[in-house]
């Protein structure tokens, strides 16, 4: 890895500047779409700086396309290998990969945040390992904000917690509510649990237990649990501002909605990682240049508005409390009430 | 229950006639939308006969709106109570409800098939209990055919198997492939398993185990397992004709796609129950009159084309074989290969 960056301390930068590490090798169309996305983002935001993480040749494509005066906005960390979609996510903890190097750039203060369109499992594993998790958080969650006729709906989680536990879903409800307050400016967010019907008791064992648990706990800043919501409530909006589900269901639903809307209107292709100490944005593997640019813009906004620290501040006490009560099992929750 | 039907034996009817039992009390808009749907279906299909199951007053609304000559096409089974969305599905096994009486009408040969827009769990429980399951089938599955730019995609299951086992998903793959051949006229159907990425090994423990199992078993009439597919492959089509998933994920995905498409184009609101000995169609709780009519038309088609017996014939040997090998667990499947 070559560290060619001239100002390693992000803290020295003026407050309007956002410096974002970009994984040049992440995504199906990498590096071409990432190069495209980086250029689009630079052109749209004069206070944006980029730390390009990947092969020198790809970084040179970005630099060569910029006006000479803008080239100072870009630095490069040369990494040749990345983690493929078919690799096990944990492989990048032992190997030098673009996504791990991007996380290390954030940890070292060389970048304020990072964006990858590679394997989301790899991005989550690398950033949780390098940056650390918020106190009490068992597993981070990817949160995607979808536009709906009733305003944005935040879907949590869209790909991390594949065999989710009750504690993880409850913690993700807390993180999602905090993000809705801090980023979406929704006061007293309404939190729903995704299920197959809205009547109490609908759903599998996990949902029934989580619903009981969510009825009992406070949520940040007056947020409240509004009960079960259904698949159509995510694209249509209405009953809930935050919709909580396991990462398997959330990923399938998000891609299903995107597939249904393809060609009819834009969709949100970037998700924010909640529960990690740092600003991390994950784009779809199938992201186009404009989607990568959206992801970079989102990462810059996370930094400028200090959103992740605000989420941590809102959620900290609750997450810690929930974590220490983590012995509660689905069986306990269902048994107590049945 | 009053049995006012004049010709109790469905077998005596000419082959073009289809006589369908309709649950007048099933669905959010019942009985009004069911009355509307019944009238639409009668008007569209002169060889359709209906057995209306519900309160006499609702049945009289249908009969009163028909031309005098058409009134002979309708018979009534008076049942006043139904199973609500918030009731436990098994309650209707011990109670006289519209959905159970509809299943009994099918069992007795008074109707060729049945349609309900009530609680799908209740419809499945009643029909599995009254009509019986196909030999070897652990749990039935609801299958919905979605229109896509690449032809229909059959999504199985959309609401029954909430805490699905490996065996259930493998059996549903067999049933789905058989239905694709018998009803959708797809020779050598391509069967995909819904997951969060298309690369081998993506997904939760259940998906990884099921994918290994599906790679090893034959499917009816040259159908083949094509591996993992993603959420967007259901509304977009392409890689698979049949997409298998658990009932929780399938229900959320189906409703999410429908919610995304609302107002842009029509969607399929009726699902066929696979794995039960009889023609059973379940409509959305939120079905409109036109959706109920579609469901009745689908039930009539199941009967006229002898689709469910064809599914049984294609799947029977495999289902029995899988059932006797049912001791295989997820742990076994994953352990053998890891």
């Amino acid at each position: 890895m070559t560290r060619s960056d001239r100002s390693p301390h992000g803290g020295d930068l003026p407050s309007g500047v956002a410096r974002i590490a970009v994984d040049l090798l992440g995504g199906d169309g990498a590096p071409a779409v990432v190069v495209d996305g980086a250029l689009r983002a630079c052109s749209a935001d004069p206070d944006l700086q980029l730390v390009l993480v990947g092969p020198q040749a790809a970084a040179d494509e970005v630099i060569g396309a910029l006006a000479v005066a803008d080239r100072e906005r870009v630095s490069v960390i040369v990494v040749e290998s990345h983690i493929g979609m078919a690799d096990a996510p944990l492989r990048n903890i032992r190997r030098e990969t673009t996504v791990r190097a991007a996380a290390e750039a954030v940890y070292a203060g060389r970048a304020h945040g990072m964006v990858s369109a590679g394997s989301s499992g790899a991005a989550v594993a690398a950033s949780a390992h390098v940056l650390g998790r918020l106190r009490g958080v068992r597993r981070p969650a990817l949160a995607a904000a979808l536009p709906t006729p009733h305003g944005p709906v935040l879907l949590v989680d869209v790909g991390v917690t594949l065999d989710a536990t009750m504690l993880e879903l409850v913690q993700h409800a807390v993180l999602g509510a905090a993000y809705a307050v801090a980023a979406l400016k929704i006061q007293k967010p309404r939190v729903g649990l995704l299920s197959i019907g809205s009547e109490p008791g609908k759903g599998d064992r996990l949902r029934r237990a989580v619903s009981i648990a969510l009825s009992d706990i406070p949520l940040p800043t007056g947020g409240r649990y509004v009960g079960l919501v259904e698949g159509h409530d995510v694209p249509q909006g209405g009953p809930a501002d935050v919709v909580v589900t396991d990462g398997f269901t959330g990923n399938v639903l998000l891609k299903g909605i995107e597939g249904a809307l393809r060609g009819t209107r834009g969709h949100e292709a970037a998700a924010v990682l909640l529960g990690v100490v740092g600003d991390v944005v994950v784009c779809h593997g199938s992201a186009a240049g404009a989607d990568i640019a959206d992801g970079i813009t989102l990462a810059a906004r996370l930094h400028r508005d200090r959103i992740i620290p605000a989420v941590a501040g809102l959620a900290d006490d609750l997450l810690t409390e929930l974590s220490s009560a983590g012995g509660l099992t689905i069986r306990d929750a269902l048994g107590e009430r049945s």
Side-chain angles (χ1 to χ4, degrees), chain A residues 23 82-85 87-93 97 99-100 103 114 116 118-129 159 273 282:
Chain A
D23 173 3
H82 76 296
I83 187 152
M85 285 303 217
D87 289 333
L90 289 174
R91 282 194 64 185
N92 67 16
I93 290 179
T97 62
V99 71
R100 177 175 146 185
M114 62 177 276
S116 176
S119 154
S120 59
V124 171
S127 48
H129 181 76
L273 192 59
V282 174

mmCIF file of all heavy atoms in Angstrom, chain A residues 23 82-85 87-93 97 99-100 103 114 116 118-129 159 273 282:
data_model
loop_
_atom_site.group_PDB
_atom_site.id
_atom_site.type_symbol
_atom_site.label_atom_id
_atom_site.label_comp_id
_atom_site.label_asym_id
_atom_site.label_seq_id
_atom_site.Cartn_x
_atom_site.Cartn_y
_atom_site.Cartn_z
ATOM 1 N N ASP A 23 -13.884 2.665 -2.528
ATOM 2 C CA ASP A 23 -13.371 1.348 -2.931
ATOM 3 C C ASP A 23 -13.478 1.220 -4.452
ATOM 4 O O ASP A 23 -14.555 0.967 -4.992
ATOM 5 C CB ASP A 23 -14.212 0.280 -2.215
ATOM 6 C CG ASP A 23 -13.893 -1.137 -2.666
ATOM 7 O OD1 ASP A 23 -12.981 -1.327 -3.505
ATOM 8 O OD2 ASP A 23 -14.577 -2.061 -2.170
ATOM 9 N N HIS A 82 -9.025 -7.209 -4.123
ATOM 10 C CA HIS A 82 -10.281 -6.906 -3.457
ATOM 11 C C HIS A 82 -10.953 -8.218 -3.104
ATOM 12 O O HIS A 82 -10.481 -9.300 -3.473
ATOM 13 C CB HIS A 82 -11.185 -6.061 -4.355
ATOM 14 C CG HIS A 82 -11.838 -6.846 -5.441
ATOM 15 N ND1 HIS A 82 -11.117 -7.465 -6.434
ATOM 16 C CD2 HIS A 82 -13.138 -7.145 -5.679
ATOM 17 C CE1 HIS A 82 -11.955 -8.086 -7.261
ATOM 18 N NE2 HIS A 82 -13.175 -7.910 -6.827
ATOM 19 N N ILE A 83 -12.052 -8.098 -2.393
ATOM 20 C CA ILE A 83 -12.772 -9.304 -1.992
ATOM 21 C C ILE A 83 -13.922 -9.501 -2.960
ATOM 22 O O ILE A 83 -14.707 -8.591 -3.210
ATOM 23 C CB ILE A 83 -13.220 -9.199 -0.520
ATOM 24 C CG1 ILE A 83 -13.800 -10.513 -0.053
ATOM 25 C CG2 ILE A 83 -14.201 -8.071 -0.293
ATOM 26 C CD1 ILE A 83 -13.618 -10.715 1.428
ATOM 27 N N GLY A 84 -13.985 -10.687 -3.553
ATOM 28 C CA GLY A 84 -15.018 -10.954 -4.550
ATOM 29 C C GLY A 84 -16.352 -11.275 -3.903
ATOM 30 O O GLY A 84 -16.436 -11.549 -2.707
ATOM 31 N N MET A 85 -17.426 -11.211 -4.732
ATOM 32 C CA MET A 85 -18.759 -11.510 -4.226
ATOM 33 C C MET A 85 -18.844 -12.943 -3.709
ATOM 34 O O MET A 85 -19.645 -13.237 -2.824
ATOM 35 C CB MET A 85 -19.797 -11.305 -5.324
ATOM 36 C CG MET A 85 -20.083 -9.840 -5.600
ATOM 37 S SD MET A 85 -20.622 -8.928 -4.140
ATOM 38 C CE MET A 85 -21.826 -7.826 -4.865
ATOM 39 N N ASP A 87 -16.364 -14.626 -2.315
ATOM 40 C CA ASP A 87 -15.463 -14.902 -1.198
ATOM 41 C C ASP A 87 -16.219 -14.836 0.122
ATOM 42 O O ASP A 87 -17.212 -14.139 0.249
ATOM 43 C CB ASP A 87 -14.331 -13.858 -1.159
ATOM 44 C CG ASP A 87 -13.348 -14.030 -2.308
ATOM 45 O OD1 ASP A 87 -13.217 -15.162 -2.807
ATOM 46 O OD2 ASP A 87 -12.725 -13.027 -2.708
ATOM 47 N N ALA A 88 -15.701 -15.554 1.111
ATOM 48 C CA ALA A 88 -16.272 -15.429 2.453
ATOM 49 C C ALA A 88 -15.920 -14.037 2.986
ATOM 50 O O ALA A 88 -14.776 -13.603 2.862
ATOM 51 C CB ALA A 88 -15.699 -16.512 3.359
ATOM 52 N N PRO A 89 -16.915 -13.330 3.564
ATOM 53 C CA PRO A 89 -16.684 -11.953 4.006
ATOM 54 C C PRO A 89 -15.502 -11.805 4.956
ATOM 55 O O PRO A 89 -14.821 -10.796 4.950
ATOM 56 C CB PRO A 89 -17.993 -11.581 4.696
ATOM 57 C CG PRO A 89 -19.013 -12.432 4.060
ATOM 58 C CD PRO A 89 -18.324 -13.720 3.718
ATOM 59 N N LEU A 90 -15.248 -12.811 5.775
ATOM 60 C CA LEU A 90 -14.199 -12.650 6.776
ATOM 61 C C LEU A 90 -12.802 -12.739 6.188
ATOM 62 O O LEU A 90 -11.828 -12.412 6.848
ATOM 63 C CB LEU A 90 -14.366 -13.694 7.888
ATOM 64 C CG LEU A 90 -15.582 -13.430 8.780
ATOM 65 C CD1 LEU A 90 -15.786 -14.562 9.767
ATOM 66 C CD2 LEU A 90 -15.415 -12.112 9.531
ATOM 67 N N ARG A 91 -12.696 -13.155 4.921
ATOM 68 C CA ARG A 91 -11.364 -13.276 4.326
ATOM 69 C C ARG A 91 -10.621 -11.958 4.342
ATOM 70 O O ARG A 91 -9.408 -11.929 4.441
ATOM 71 C CB ARG A 91 -11.473 -13.743 2.865
ATOM 72 C CG ARG A 91 -11.729 -15.230 2.746
ATOM 73 C CD ARG A 91 -11.498 -15.691 1.330
ATOM 74 N NE ARG A 91 -10.100 -15.523 0.928
ATOM 75 C CZ ARG A 91 -9.668 -15.763 -0.301
ATOM 76 N NH1 ARG A 91 -10.502 -16.155 -1.233
ATOM 77 N NH2 ARG A 91 -8.407 -15.618 -0.605
ATOM 78 N N ASN A 92 -11.361 -10.855 4.216
ATOM 79 C CA ASN A 92 -10.649 -9.579 4.117
ATOM 80 C C ASN A 92 -10.075 -9.104 5.437
ATOM 81 O O ASN A 92 -9.385 -8.101 5.487
ATOM 82 C CB ASN A 92 -11.524 -8.501 3.482
ATOM 83 C CG ASN A 92 -12.691 -8.139 4.364
ATOM 84 O OD1 ASN A 92 -12.712 -8.451 5.540
ATOM 85 N ND2 ASN A 92 -13.670 -7.481 3.792
ATOM 86 N N ILE A 93 -10.392 -9.802 6.510
ATOM 87 C CA ILE A 93 -9.784 -9.398 7.777
ATOM 88 C C ILE A 93 -8.329 -9.844 7.800
ATOM 89 O O ILE A 93 -7.482 -9.193 8.388
ATOM 90 C CB ILE A 93 -10.612 -9.958 8.945
ATOM 91 C CG1 ILE A 93 -11.934 -9.195 8.986
ATOM 92 C CG2 ILE A 93 -9.861 -9.836 10.261
ATOM 93 C CD1 ILE A 93 -12.871 -9.634 10.051
ATOM 94 N N THR A 97 -7.214 -5.861 1.405
ATOM 95 C CA THR A 97 -8.177 -5.674 0.319
ATOM 96 C C THR A 97 -8.569 -4.203 0.271
ATOM 97 O O THR A 97 -8.332 -3.455 1.225
ATOM 98 C CB THR A 97 -9.459 -6.501 0.563
ATOM 99 O OG1 THR A 97 -10.054 -6.035 1.774
ATOM 100 C CG2 THR A 97 -9.149 -7.980 0.687
ATOM 101 N N VAL A 99 -11.495 -2.876 0.467
ATOM 102 C CA VAL A 99 -12.502 -2.467 1.450
ATOM 103 C C VAL A 99 -11.876 -2.357 2.843
ATOM 104 O O VAL A 99 -12.215 -1.460 3.616
ATOM 105 C CB VAL A 99 -13.728 -3.411 1.390
ATOM 106 C CG1 VAL A 99 -13.413 -4.784 1.953
ATOM 107 C CG2 VAL A 99 -14.925 -2.789 2.091
ATOM 108 N N ARG A 100 -10.937 -3.238 3.130
ATOM 109 C CA ARG A 100 -10.267 -3.123 4.436
ATOM 110 C C ARG A 100 -9.376 -1.884 4.475
ATOM 111 O O ARG A 100 -9.327 -1.170 5.484
ATOM 112 C CB ARG A 100 -9.450 -4.383 4.699
ATOM 113 C CG ARG A 100 -8.695 -4.283 5.998
ATOM 114 C CD ARG A 100 -7.973 -5.538 6.359
ATOM 115 N NE ARG A 100 -6.732 -5.224 7.053
ATOM 116 C CZ ARG A 100 -5.833 -6.108 7.404
ATOM 117 N NH1 ARG A 100 -6.025 -7.389 7.111
ATOM 118 N NH2 ARG A 100 -4.742 -5.744 8.018
ATOM 119 N N ALA A 103 -11.451 1.118 5.154
ATOM 120 C CA ALA A 103 -11.811 1.220 6.574
ATOM 121 C C ALA A 103 -10.622 1.705 7.388
ATOM 122 O O ALA A 103 -10.773 2.525 8.302
ATOM 123 C CB ALA A 103 -12.308 -0.137 7.082
ATOM 124 N N MET A 114 -16.402 6.180 4.262
ATOM 125 C CA MET A 114 -16.036 5.295 3.159
ATOM 126 C C MET A 114 -17.266 4.821 2.409
ATOM 127 O O MET A 114 -18.373 4.754 2.958
ATOM 128 C CB MET A 114 -15.240 4.102 3.663
ATOM 129 C CG MET A 114 -15.998 3.221 4.635
ATOM 130 S SD MET A 114 -15.041 1.758 5.150
ATOM 131 C CE MET A 114 -15.384 0.627 3.794
ATOM 132 N N SER A 116 -18.361 1.637 -0.435
ATOM 133 C CA SER A 116 -18.010 0.462 -1.238
ATOM 134 C C SER A 116 -19.259 -0.099 -1.889
ATOM 135 O O SER A 116 -20.318 -0.132 -1.272
ATOM 136 C CB SER A 116 -17.358 -0.627 -0.375
ATOM 137 O OG SER A 116 -17.118 -1.789 -1.154
ATOM 138 N N GLY A 118 -18.880 -3.151 -3.180
ATOM 139 C CA GLY A 118 -18.513 -4.567 -3.226
ATOM 140 C C GLY A 118 -19.441 -5.392 -2.353
ATOM 141 O O GLY A 118 -20.511 -4.928 -1.956
ATOM 142 N N SER A 119 -19.036 -6.612 -2.051
ATOM 143 C CA SER A 119 -19.805 -7.494 -1.177
ATOM 144 C C SER A 119 -20.160 -6.749 0.103
ATOM 145 O O SER A 119 -19.283 -6.238 0.811
ATOM 146 C CB SER A 119 -18.957 -8.724 -0.846
ATOM 147 O OG SER A 119 -19.360 -9.277 0.391
ATOM 148 N N SER A 120 -21.455 -6.659 0.422
ATOM 149 C CA SER A 120 -21.823 -5.907 1.622
ATOM 150 C C SER A 120 -21.346 -6.648 2.862
ATOM 151 O O SER A 120 -20.959 -6.026 3.847
ATOM 152 C CB SER A 120 -23.328 -5.645 1.661
ATOM 153 O OG SER A 120 -24.041 -6.842 1.643
ATOM 154 N N GLY A 121 -21.352 -7.984 2.808
ATOM 155 C CA GLY A 121 -20.840 -8.743 3.948
ATOM 156 C C GLY A 121 -19.390 -8.393 4.230
ATOM 157 O O GLY A 121 -18.982 -8.241 5.388
ATOM 158 N N ALA A 122 -18.608 -8.231 3.169
ATOM 159 C CA ALA A 122 -17.194 -7.903 3.334
ATOM 160 C C ALA A 122 -17.032 -6.492 3.879
ATOM 161 O O ALA A 122 -16.202 -6.246 4.762
ATOM 162 C CB ALA A 122 -16.480 -8.032 1.993
ATOM 163 N N ALA A 123 -17.837 -5.564 3.384
ATOM 164 C CA ALA A 123 -17.738 -4.180 3.860
ATOM 165 C C ALA A 123 -18.107 -4.096 5.334
ATOM 166 O O ALA A 123 -17.467 -3.387 6.110
ATOM 167 C CB ALA A 123 -18.644 -3.274 3.027
ATOM 168 N N VAL A 124 -19.130 -4.847 5.710
ATOM 169 C CA VAL A 124 -19.562 -4.827 7.106
ATOM 170 C C VAL A 124 -18.507 -5.471 7.988
ATOM 171 O O VAL A 124 -18.135 -4.933 9.046
ATOM 172 C CB VAL A 124 -20.919 -5.547 7.252
ATOM 173 C CG1 VAL A 124 -21.273 -5.718 8.714
ATOM 174 C CG2 VAL A 124 -22.007 -4.788 6.504
ATOM 175 N N ALA A 125 -17.995 -6.625 7.556
ATOM 176 C CA ALA A 125 -16.990 -7.312 8.370
ATOM 177 C C ALA A 125 -15.747 -6.444 8.528
ATOM 178 O O ALA A 125 -15.211 -6.298 9.633
ATOM 179 C CB ALA A 125 -16.633 -8.661 7.723
ATOM 180 N N ALA A 126 -15.288 -5.846 7.437
ATOM 181 C CA ALA A 126 -14.073 -5.034 7.507
ATOM 182 C C ALA A 126 -14.281 -3.811 8.383
ATOM 183 O O ALA A 126 -13.442 -3.490 9.232
ATOM 184 C CB ALA A 126 -13.652 -4.603 6.102
ATOM 185 N N SER A 127 -15.415 -3.125 8.216
ATOM 186 C CA SER A 127 -15.577 -1.886 8.974
ATOM 187 C C SER A 127 -15.852 -2.179 10.442
ATOM 188 O O SER A 127 -15.363 -1.453 11.315
ATOM 189 C CB SER A 127 -16.643 -0.982 8.345
ATOM 190 O OG SER A 127 -17.799 -1.694 8.058
ATOM 191 N N ALA A 128 -16.596 -3.249 10.737
ATOM 192 C CA ALA A 128 -16.821 -3.586 12.148
ATOM 193 C C ALA A 128 -15.503 -3.975 12.804
ATOM 194 O O ALA A 128 -15.228 -3.605 13.948
ATOM 195 C CB ALA A 128 -17.833 -4.727 12.263
ATOM 196 N N HIS A 129 -14.656 -4.689 12.063
ATOM 197 C CA HIS A 129 -13.383 -5.147 12.614
ATOM 198 C C HIS A 129 -12.414 -3.985 12.802
ATOM 199 O O HIS A 129 -11.770 -3.860 13.850
ATOM 200 C CB HIS A 129 -12.790 -6.194 11.669
ATOM 201 C CG HIS A 129 -11.493 -6.766 12.130
ATOM 202 N ND1 HIS A 129 -11.408 -7.697 13.136
ATOM 203 C CD2 HIS A 129 -10.218 -6.529 11.723
ATOM 204 C CE1 HIS A 129 -10.142 -8.015 13.340
ATOM 205 N NE2 HIS A 129 -9.394 -7.322 12.490
ATOM 206 N N GLY A 159 -29.290 -6.597 4.789
ATOM 207 C CA GLY A 159 -28.319 -7.576 4.323
ATOM 208 C C GLY A 159 -27.284 -8.105 5.283
ATOM 209 O O GLY A 159 -26.474 -8.946 4.896
ATOM 210 N N LEU A 273 -24.416 2.021 7.140
ATOM 211 C CA LEU A 273 -24.166 1.010 8.157
ATOM 212 C C LEU A 273 -24.381 1.626 9.534
ATOM 213 O O LEU A 273 -23.740 2.623 9.885
ATOM 214 C CB LEU A 273 -22.736 0.479 8.008
ATOM 215 C CG LEU A 273 -22.399 -0.772 8.812
ATOM 216 C CD1 LEU A 273 -23.311 -1.934 8.451
ATOM 217 C CD2 LEU A 273 -20.940 -1.159 8.585
ATOM 218 N N VAL A 282 -22.728 1.553 1.935
ATOM 219 C CA VAL A 282 -22.597 0.397 1.054
ATOM 220 C C VAL A 282 -23.564 0.570 -0.102
ATOM 221 O O VAL A 282 -24.759 0.810 0.108
ATOM 222 C CB VAL A 282 -22.899 -0.906 1.817
ATOM 223 C CG1 VAL A 282 -22.898 -2.094 0.876
ATOM 224 C CG2 VAL A 282 -21.872 -1.113 2.935
#
